[in-house]
Amino acid sequence: MKITTKIAATALLLLSVSVSAAADSNSTKLDFTKDNNAMSNNKSIVLVHKKAHGKNDPTHAVIWLHGLGASANDFPPVVPELGLSDERSIRFVFPQAPDKAITINGGMRMPAWYDIKGTSLEDKQDSEGMRESQATVEALIDQQIAMGIPSRNIILAGFSQGGAVTYFTGVRSQHQLAGLLTMSTYCPFDKDTAKERSEINKNTPIFASHGTLDPVVDLSMGQASVEHLQQLGYAVEWKTYRMEHQVVMEQIQNIGAWINKVFSQP
């Protein structure tokens, strides 16, 4: 397996992740389908990890958001490498962010969940854009519920900018979620979390991971977010890896183990 990342000189988040396909295609148990209705103006990529026996209708879902300047195509290749249990069918939804003008990149338009004006935490907090993305994710949760998957069987996941949206939406959602998965990111508007959070997800498990050599979102920013959430009583599992702004195989395998553990809960 090969994982590579490309980061623009002024961009803050992941631009490209490529993962080679598994050698044994029979081991992946994946269906690749397009879902053109998942977002109003953009397409999502939908994968289904099928269980070994019985009906394959998905009973669980993972909604996985990409980073700035990236696309819905970035993380689907990771799914076969997660080592998921074949005891359940899981629908993976990879939504595509709309194009936005990004201030820190000179106003260049690119896929983004919100605007970023600078490198400080304050400059990474675009309230209007964040609220719009929160509404998009909530609509995706509602869609999965309408398709027969209860919210308690749904994990929200995201890398970098997508992870920030995951934090923001997850702690505020009125839907009881199975878990939050965040990678190479930070918790935006952390000063507002205590007063805006939903009690329904106060016990929702969180898996947060970060690169110790991350030049884009500093490790200290990710760690401070984790500590803040822990102080508020959230159960956050925190792992670091010797990597930059990217994902690595050890991390992917740990994520897969965490998903298996979360989804095995009654």
Side-chain angles (χ1 to χ4, degrees), residues 40-90:
S40 58
N41 298 315
N42 298 277
K43 294 182 179 180
S44 292
I45 295 176
V46 179
L47 286 69
V48 176
H49 168 83
K50 293 183 176 181
K51 67 179 182 179
H53 306 289
K55 293 183 178 180
N56 283 315
D57 293 340
T59 55
H60 297 70
V62 178
I63 300 171
W64 196 316
L65 281 63
H66 63 73
L68 174 67
S71 77
N73 293 292
D74 272 17
F75 282 98
V78 167
V79 176
E81 310 300 334
L82 291 170
L84 297 171
S85 168
D86 61 5
E87 294 180 357
R88 63 192 63 85
S89 293
I90 305 170

Side-chain angles (χ1 to χ4, degrees), residues 183-238:
M183 296 156 280
S184 303
T185 192
Y186 52 92
C187 184
F189 302 98
D190 57 352
K191 295 179 181 178
D192 299 329
T193 302
K195 64 181 180 181
E196 294 184 359
R197 64 175 174 165
S198 167
E199 287 297 307
I200 199 168
N201 283 309
K202 65 180 180 180
N203 296 319
T204 297
I206 301 173
F207 183 91
S209 57
H210 215 108
T212 57
L213 306 176
D214 194 330
V216 180
V217 179
D218 193 80
L219 175 65
S220 62
M221 191 174 294
Q223 188 165 1
S225 294
V226 167
E227 291 173 353
H228 176 68
L229 290 170
Q230 289 173 335
Q231 289 171 2
L232 292 177
Y234 290 95
V236 186
E237 183 176 348
W238 168 246

Side-chain angles (χ1 to χ4, degrees), residues 26-229:
N26 293 326
S27 68
T28 63
K29 303 187 184 72
L30 292 174
D31 279 349
F32 291 80
T33 60
K34 289 281 187 179
D35 180 357
N36 296 332
N37 298 315
M39 298 178 68
S40 58
N41 298 315
N42 298 277
K43 294 182 179 180
S44 292
I45 295 176
V46 179
L47 286 69
V48 176
H49 168 83
K50 293 183 176 181
K51 67 179 182 179
H53 306 289
K55 293 183 178 180
N56 283 315
D57 293 340
T59 55
H60 297 70
V62 178
I63 300 171
W64 196 316
L65 281 63
H66 63 73
L68 174 67
S71 77
N73 293 292
D74 272 17
F75 282 98
V78 167
V79 176
E81 310 300 334
L82 291 170
L84 297 171
S85 168
D86 61 5
E87 294 180 357
R88 63 192 63 85
S89 293
I90 305 170
R91 180 183 294 122
F92 284 81
V93 180
F94 299 92
Q96 176 65 44
D99 287 349
K100 292 179 179 290
I102 302 302
T103 302
I104 194 174
N105 286 346
M108 183 185 301
R109 295 187 65 82
M110 61 185 63
W113 299 109
Y114 53 89
D115 188 21
I116 294 178
K117 295 180 172 62
T119 58
S120 70
L121 179 58
E122 290 73 20
D123 288 337
K124 293 172 185 261
Q125 299 183 147
D126 166 22
S127 180
E128 180 179 356
M130 187 65 70
R131 298 288 180 183
E132 290 175 354
S133 292
Q134 176 190 20
T136 295
V137 175
E138 289 287 3
L140 289 170
I141 295 171
D142 287 337
Q143 183 188 55
Q144 295 308 305
I145 294 171
M147 295 172 71
I149 298 179
S151 66
R152 65 181 180 275
N153 287 355
I154 298 174
I155 289 174
L156 296 187
F159 179 89
S160 203
Q161 203 183 54
V165 175
T166 294
Y167 270 142
F168 186 86
T169 304
V171 299
R172 291 166 174 77
S173 181
Q174 296 301 314
H175 295 296
Q176 182 179 358
L177 300 169
L180 305 180
L181 168 63
T182 63
M183 296 156 280
S184 303
T185 192
Y186 52 92
C187 184
F189 302 98
D190 57 352
K191 295 179 181 178
D192 299 329
T193 302
K195 64 181 180 181
E196 294 184 359
R197 64 175 174 165
S198 167
E199 287 297 307
I200 199 168
N201 283 309
K202 65 180 180 180
N203 296 319
T204 297
I206 301 173
F207 183 91
S209 57
H210 215 108
T212 57
L213 306 176
D214 194 330
V216 180
V217 179
D218 193 80
L219 175 65
S220 62
M221 191 174 294
Q223 188 165 1
S225 294
V226 167
E227 291 173 353
H228 176 68
L229 290 170

